[in-house]
Amino acid sequence: MDQGKYIAMRRRRVKRLKRMIIAGLILMILIPTALSVWLGVRLHRTGNALSEMNAQYESQLVLNEELQQRLRLFMELASRKGTEDVDGTPEIEEVIQSEPASDDIRRVYLTFDDGPSINTIKILDILDEYDVKAAFFVTGQNADDNEDLYREIVKRGHTLGMHSYSHVYSDIYRSRESFAKDFNKIRDYLTDTTGVTPVYYRFPGGSSNTVSKTDMKELCEYVEENGATYLDWNISSGDATNPQISVNRLVNNCMSAIPNHMTAVILFHDAAGKDTTVKALPQIIEQIQAMEDTVILPITEDTVKIRHLETETE
Ligand SMILES: [Zn+2]
């Protein structure tokens, strides 16, 4: 082999080698990049699915609590009545709270849990339109995006209540200490943000929830001893369900239950995604306003306290 041929062959080999190295490098960059993108997309989707599942879990908890509460009351009523037949929920509701009918005026309280969110402002506008005041039991979740909404609730004359800062059951109900920590966090936060110290508290899941690892009576007492009053509800609008119920069902749930109470406290949710609540609200207000001797009021110190669980001190 002569010198020239040999050199040409070596060059070709070097060239081939170079191409292979470059191709290898490109592959080493491309494959991980493609993988990262793919994993990123998967992660995002999983994240979305997770938060959706979390929301559903919360809804199920509330529903579960309500069912258990009904069952307890049902059994209590059954034992009181002895062998008599027990039927109809109106009587059961009476056990929740004896409602003094001092003036024959039915008082309806619209209460909204889990806000503020994008839906809160829509609800505030509806309430303004009908000149109605309500109570908002808010959390500190997503507080940064919603700072103005806390102030707006107060500014428009509604009752601003607490509904825990984190709304994470496993956290706030772990112990009296962790509850106290969360309680003070939401109260301080709302005081700093709105200039008004909130005095009403609604327990996530209600005072009768069975998720709490701490005795709820103890936590009820804590709230009362720390300058606040806890309040529950006696009518569930049903908007905690997921997937959402229809506007008609929501309206019917409220309107069929109101006649059973002289003090009717309706539980709604103004969390993001509770669009049915926003859609049903005008009809509900109109129908209540059309009822005789019935008024819609904000919660004040004169309001009859509707509670699932009473403290010993009461
Ligand atoms: Zn809640």
Side-chain angles (χ1 to χ4, degrees):
M1 195 188 290
D2 64 49
Q3 190 73 8
K5 250 188 173 174
Y6 177 71
I7 291 173
M9 208 172 84
R10 270 199 66 163
R11 276 196 186 137
R12 273 204 301 278
R13 208 185 280 168
V14 170
K15 247 188 189 169
R16 212 183 308 147
L17 211 65
K18 268 188 186 166
R19 272 204 296 271
M20 278 170 69
I21 290 171
I22 290 169
L25 278 173
I26 290 175
L27 276 179
M28 276 167 71
I29 295 167
L30 273 183
I31 291 174
T33 308
L35 260 176
S36 311
V37 170
W38 181 71
L39 280 173
V41 170
R42 290 283 313 252
L43 198 69
H44 183 70
R45 282 189 192 153
T46 311
N48 283 349
L50 258 178
S51 47
E52 178 65 19
M53 276 167 69
N54 192 29
Q56 288 191 15
Y57 172 69
E58 288 285 351
S59 310
Q60 288 306 323
L61 270 183
V62 172
L63 274 184
N64 192 17
E65 287 311 325
E66 281 173 18
L67 284 174
Q68 288 193 10
Q69 182 205 326
R70 275 183 174 259
L71 191 69
R72 273 200 302 276
L73 290 166
F74 202 82
M75 286 167 75
E76 191 183 326
L77 199 74
S79 66
R80 278 188 198 180
K81 283 200 161 188
T83 52
E84 272 177 57
D85 276 351
V86 179
D87 58 0
T89 48
E91 283 182 298
I92 295 170
E93 302 285 357
E94 292 303 315
V95 180
I96 292 180
Q97 181 77 38
S98 51
E99 297 158 7
S102 50
D103 54 5
D104 287 336
I105 299 288
R106 173 173 288 108
R107 293 171 171 82
V108 181
Y109 299 90
L110 310 177
T111 71
F112 298 89
D113 285 11
D114 294 358
S117 79
I118 179 121
N119 281 329
T120 308
I121 196 73
K122 297 177 195 165
I123 289 171
L124 285 171
D125 287 344
I126 294 170
L127 296 173
D128 275 355
E129 198 181 313
Y130 290 95
D131 195 20
V132 160
K133 303 293 182 217
F136 291 83
F137 292 96
V138 298
T139 71
Q141 299 175 105
N142 313 315
D144 296 342
D145 305 331
N146 298 312
E147 284 255 288
D148 289 336
L149 289 174
Y150 298 100
R151 287 187 279 268
E152 202 60 25
I153 291 169
V154 174
K155 211 172 90 182
R156 299 205 198 180
H158 303 286
T159 310
L160 183 71
M162 301 171 272
H163 189 48
S164 84
Y165 191 92
S166 73
H167 203 275
V168 177
Y169 287 56
S170 55
D171 227 40
I172 52 179
Y173 292 143
R174 191 187 305 135
S175 65
R176 186 186 156 101
E177 289 67 39
S178 45
F179 178 81
K181 203 174 152 196
D182 184 273
F183 176 87
N184 286 299
K185 194 173 175 186
I186 186 68
R187 182 157 67 177
D188 291 349
Y189 173 74
L190 293 179
T191 306
D192 292 347
T193 310
T194 67
V196 179
T197 302
V199 292
Y200 298 106
Y201 191 91
R202 175 168 284 162
F203 290 101
S207 67
S208 61
N209 82 81
T210 50
V211 186
S212 178
K213 293 190 169 50
T214 315
D215 184 5
M216 281 307 295
K217 279 220 161 127
E218 210 183 303
L219 301 185
C220 291
E221 278 159 18
Y222 178 88
V223 171
E224 295 287 315
E225 284 162 14
N226 284 274
T229 298
Y230 67 94
L231 298 168
D232 291 304
W233 61 91
N234 55 10
I235 296 176
S236 182
S237 67
D239 67 354
T241 51
N242 208 326
Q244 289 184 2
I245 60 169
S246 68
V247 169
N248 274 346
R249 270 288 295 281
L250 226 158
V251 175
N252 281 341
N253 281 349
C254 298
M255 297 318 297
S256 61
I258 291 173
N260 300 328
H261 305 279
M262 287 311 283
T263 299
V265 181
I266 311 178
L267 170 68
F268 294 103
H269 292 85
D270 62 329
K274 298 295 175 197
D275 303 334
T276 317
T277 309
V278 179
K279 285 190 198 123
L281 193 59
Q283 287 182 54
I284 293 170
I285 295 175
E286 279 170 30
Q287 291 188 27
I288 297 172
Q289 288 183 333
M291 288 173 79
E292 254 173 56
D293 299 326
T294 302
V295 286
I296 302 176
L297 296 172
I299 287 172
T300 65
E301 54 190 21
D302 298 326
T303 305
V304 173
K305 292 171 191 161
I306 300 297
R307 292 166 160 183
H308 302 160
L309 193 69
E310 281 297 346
T311 51
E312 306 290 334
T313 48
E314 287 297 310

